[in-house]
Amino acid sequence: MDAHKIPVEALKEVCAKIDGQCAMYVSVPGTGEKFVLNEDKIFSAASTIKIPMLALLFQDAEAGKVDLAKKIRVKPENRVVGSGILRSLSPDLELPLFDIANLMIVMSDNTATNEVADAVGMDRVRQYCIDNGYTNTWMWRKMFFKGYMPEPQVPEGMPVNATTAGDLGRMLESMAAGTCVSEKASRKMIQIMAGQRLARLKTLLPCAERVEPYEEELRLPPEGKVVVACKGGTLTDPGIAHDAGVFYLPDGRYYVMVMCTQTGSVDAATKIINEAGLLMYEAMK
């Protein structure tokens, strides 16, 4: 296996272990290397839909449409089940929109996600994706929301919230390159994602200390460590397990890796995604 090269054949073997649907997108922007497998296969997005939501929120903030420092009260109807903590906190809780967005990513908080959806206008997420070339990514439902929602405008048989490994990979490439919304917004979004507490591709890696979102800039990891800015997604039924991240190495190199799966066992898929993440890191470090 060549040093600092994508281990294509080994990754193919790992993907073949998935008992179900699998897609992968791996790129090393500094060298132009890339490996893709089923990159346009559409999956239920689960919580990976929170990546374009974050980008749209920062776009609106730069346009003056929203104020990230403004405190908002968490609405009762947005307090939903699933990952996160906001639904269990004080009913009169108010937090800055920035902190709510942070919780949406680092804790994958579904209540926070619904508040961000209200802030940007959920129906605009799809248009944001179209405008930026992520044509297989859309959102037509808030997280576990019980109230009225518009009729999903998706082809029959397709998930109401969807994405692909290719779309997620290109989103992360643009953030890492500083071209998602703006260089400043890209840096801040990467910092937020580098505080991730829930992940699969980085589980077996020697990760540096968790990055805090209010720091001025993303610091490279010390020797022997890696910084990972990522966001995953899980749906036990229908067996969705995804993860997508940018991996920063001590010498300044970075790579993007996305793995999307739909199987009969999220636990079994998770172990394989763990393995894939370690395999790629060992080849790149």
Side-chain angles (χ1 to χ4, degrees), residues 1 12 39 49 51 59 67 80 128 130 156 168 175 190 199 203 218 221 226 247 249 266 278 280 283:
M1 187 182 298
K12 287 181 180 178
E39 65 171 318
I49 198 65
I51 300 175
Q59 178 178 283
D67 179 0
V80 294
Y128 170 84
I130 292 173
E156 185 176 353
L168 291 173
M175 283 187 190
I190 287 289
T203 299
L218 184 74
V226 60
F247 297 71
L249 301 169
V266 166
L278 179 60
M280 182 63 188

Side-chain angles (χ1 to χ4, degrees), residues 6-26 35-39 41 43 165 201 241 243 257-265 268-280:
I6 297 176
V8 173
E9 294 306 317
L11 288 175
K12 287 181 180 178
E13 291 177 9
V14 171
C15 290
K17 295 180 181 181
I18 292 291
D19 184 16
Q21 302 295 319
C22 179
M24 182 175 282
Y25 184 101
V26 181
F35 166 63
V36 298
L37 175 71
N38 300 324
E39 65 171 318
K41 165 70 179 173
F43 291 84
L201 286 169
D243 204 11
M257 187 172 190
V258 179
M259 193 166 179
C260 297
T261 69
Q262 182 171 355
T263 71
S265 170
T270 293
K271 292 178 181 178
I272 297 170
I273 297 172
N274 295 163
E275 181 183 350
L278 179 60
L279 178 66
M280 182 63 188

Side-chain angles (χ1 to χ4, degrees), residues 2-228:
D2 293 337
H4 307 332
K5 296 287 186 181
I6 297 176
V8 173
E9 294 306 317
L11 288 175
K12 287 181 180 178
E13 291 177 9
V14 171
C15 290
K17 295 180 181 181
I18 292 291
D19 184 16
Q21 302 295 319
C22 179
M24 182 175 282
Y25 184 101
V26 181
S27 70
V28 185
T31 65
E33 293 177 85
K34 187 174 290 186
F35 166 63
V36 298
L37 175 71
N38 300 324
E39 65 171 318
D40 295 325
K41 165 70 179 173
I42 295 174
F43 291 84
S44 175
S47 287
T48 63
I49 198 65
K50 298 168 188 180
I51 300 175
M53 290 180 69
L54 183 68
L56 177 57
L57 180 68
F58 271 81
Q59 178 178 283
D60 282 357
E62 292 208 345
K65 294 180 179 179
V66 298
D67 179 0
L68 295 178
K70 181 181 178 181
K71 289 188 175 182
I72 60 176
R73 180 169 294 184
V74 179
K75 294 183 282 297
E77 63 269 24
N78 281 336
R79 293 174 183 257
V80 294
V81 300
S83 54
I85 188 65
L86 276 183
R87 71 187 179 100
S88 301
L89 301 184
S90 170
D92 59 353
L93 178 68
E94 292 185 350
L95 286 174
L97 186 52
F98 181 89
D99 289 348
I100 287 176
N102 188 26
L103 285 169
M104 175 180 77
I105 298 298
V106 302
M107 297 297 292
S108 202
D109 194 296
N110 288 330
T111 296
T113 304
N114 289 346
E115 288 293 340
V116 172
D118 286 348
V120 299
M122 192 201 66
D123 56 329
R124 294 178 59 238
V125 176
R126 170 61 172 156
Q127 191 59 52
Y128 170 84
C129 292
I130 292 173
D131 291 344
N132 288 277
Y134 313 130
T135 54
N136 289 319
T137 299
W138 56 76
M139 180 183 189
W140 288 103
R141 282 284 187 272
K142 289 161 77 173
M143 301 291 138
F144 298 99
F145 192 71
K146 300 298 184 182
Y148 170 77
M149 298 296 293
E151 188 67 24
Q153 298 178 32
V154 297
E156 185 176 353
M158 289 292 177
V160 291
N161 296 341
T163 195
T164 66
D167 279 1
L168 291 173
R170 287 183 286 274
M171 287 181 208
L172 294 184
E173 285 173 344
S174 70
M175 283 187 190
T179 58
C180 182
V181 180
S182 70
E183 184 175 357
K184 179 181 178 181
S186 293
R187 287 200 310 268
K188 188 55 65 176
M189 287 186 280
I190 287 289
Q191 279 180 265
I192 290 174
M193 292 177 66
Q196 180 62 242
R197 292 178 180 268
L198 308 170
R200 291 183 169 93
L201 286 169
K202 75 172 189 176
T203 299
L204 302 180
L205 308 190
C207 293
E209 282 189 27
R210 199 169 67 90
V211 175
E212 297 300 337
Y214 285 100
E215 292 181 11
E216 286 298 315
E217 60 183 27
L218 184 74
R219 289 170 291 147
L220 291 175
E223 205 56 42
K225 299 288 187 178
V226 60
V227 168
V228 185

Side-chain angles (χ1 to χ4, degrees), residues 229-242:
C230 59
K231 183 73 198 81
T234 304
L235 284 174
T236 303
D237 183 13
I240 293 295
H242 306 327

